[in-house]
């Protein structure tokens, strides 16, 4: 069950953004985003996972770090399609002594949504990925032309594989232009 909870932390942090903050000192165009970006960093500190089902209720605090990055996202224009490839290693540390390590392929888009390609749009420092009626809005908090940092404030209730959890925390994803 700890493995499923650990994977749940990652899935929520990568795929659900709940609070969007569009205040920034930088301006980005869709053309700035076009091209290939490599995953340079992934982290989520002090994520709280409140497992409510199956009983009894459990609270898990975890830190999530990525390594061995070999994952890429390519944003093409006309049509606006985002394609995700590659993999990276994820280390999930919780309860002071437990560490789970996973290799995740294609940012786990394929594992969760069944796809590695989606439509994309950009407006007011929000990058939106859309596929099959699902939409994911990502808040871009820093952009230098070569690096893009995305922050996700997570506050979601999710049921995956019969495990229902409330997940709270903040994840930061850094991408580097290739």
């Amino acid at each position: 069950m700890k493995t499923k909870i650990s994977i749940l932390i990652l899935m929520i942090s990568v795929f659900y953004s709940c609070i969007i903050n569009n205040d920034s000192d930088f301006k980005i165009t869709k053309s700035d985003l076009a091209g290939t970006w490599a995953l340079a960093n992934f982290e989520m500190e002090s994520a709280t996972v409140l497992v409510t089902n199956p009983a009894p209720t459990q609270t898990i605090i975890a830190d999530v770090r990525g390594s061995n990055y070999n994952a890429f996202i390519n944003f093409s224009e006309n049509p606006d399609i985002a394609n995700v490839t590659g993999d990276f290693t994820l280390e999930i540390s919780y309860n002071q002594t437990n560490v789970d390590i996973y290799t995740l392929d294609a940012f786990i888009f394929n594992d969760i949504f069944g796809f590695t390609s989606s439509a994309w749009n950009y407006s007011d420092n929000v990058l939106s990925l859309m596929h099959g009626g699902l939409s994911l809005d990502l808040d871009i908090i820093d952009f230098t032309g070569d690096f893009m940092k995305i922050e996700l404030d997570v506050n979601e209730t999710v049921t995956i594989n019969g495990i229902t959890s409330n997940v709270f925390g903040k994840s930061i994803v850094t991408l580097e232009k290739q």
Side-chain angles (χ1 to χ4, degrees):
M1 179 151 135
K2 289 181 182 180
T3 299
K4 290 180 182 178
I5 292 167
S6 298
I7 291 172
L8 177 65
I9 291 169
L10 173 70
M11 290 186 293
I12 299 306
S13 68
V14 173
F15 295 109
Y16 292 99
S17 172
C18 303
I19 300 171
I20 304 295
N21 177 3
N22 294 328
D23 298 333
S24 68
D25 295 332
F26 54 89
K27 298 295 180 209
I28 309 170
T29 67
K30 278 181 79 171
S31 294
D32 292 329
L33 298 177
T36 300
W37 294 82
L39 179 62
N41 192 44
F42 179 90
E43 60 187 49
M44 187 172 186
E45 294 184 9
S46 300
T48 301
V49 179
L50 178 63
V51 180
T52 57
N53 182 34
T57 298
Q58 300 177 50
T59 300
I60 298 170
I61 305 297
D63 291 331
V64 182
R65 301 269 183 265
S67 65
N68 301 322
Y69 301 113
N70 184 33
F72 304 88
I73 186 165
N74 180 273
F75 296 101
S76 66
E77 290 186 283
N78 299 320
D80 297 342
I81 302 294
N83 289 300
V84 181
T85 59
D87 59 25
F88 67 102
T89 301
L90 190 71
E91 182 178 296
I92 303 170
S93 305
Y94 55 97
N95 294 342
Q96 309 298 323
T97 58
N98 299 321
V99 177
D100 293 336
I101 297 175
Y102 304 95
T103 298
L104 301 172
D105 66 325
F107 288 115
I108 66 174
F109 274 87
N110 190 45
D111 298 334
I112 295 173
F113 294 118
F115 66 90
T116 56
S117 180
S118 69
W120 71 279
N121 192 18
Y122 171 77
S123 179
D124 297 324
N125 295 344
V126 177
L127 173 62
S128 300
L129 303 174
M130 296 94 40
H131 183 85
L134 299 172
S135 180
L136 172 65
D137 293 330
L138 308 170
D139 185 24
I140 300 173
I141 60 169
D142 194 17
F143 184 84
T144 65
D146 291 333
F147 287 91
M148 174 171 39
K149 189 175 284 192
I150 301 167
E151 178 181 78
L152 306 168
D153 288 323
V154 179
N155 181 359
E156 292 290 331
T157 300
V158 178
T159 301
I160 297 176
N161 294 333
I163 298 173
T164 301
S165 300
N166 299 320
V167 180
F168 307 92
K170 183 175 294 199
S171 78
I172 304 289
V173 177
T174 303
L175 302 171
E176 181 179 7
K177 187 91 176 235
Q178 299 298 289

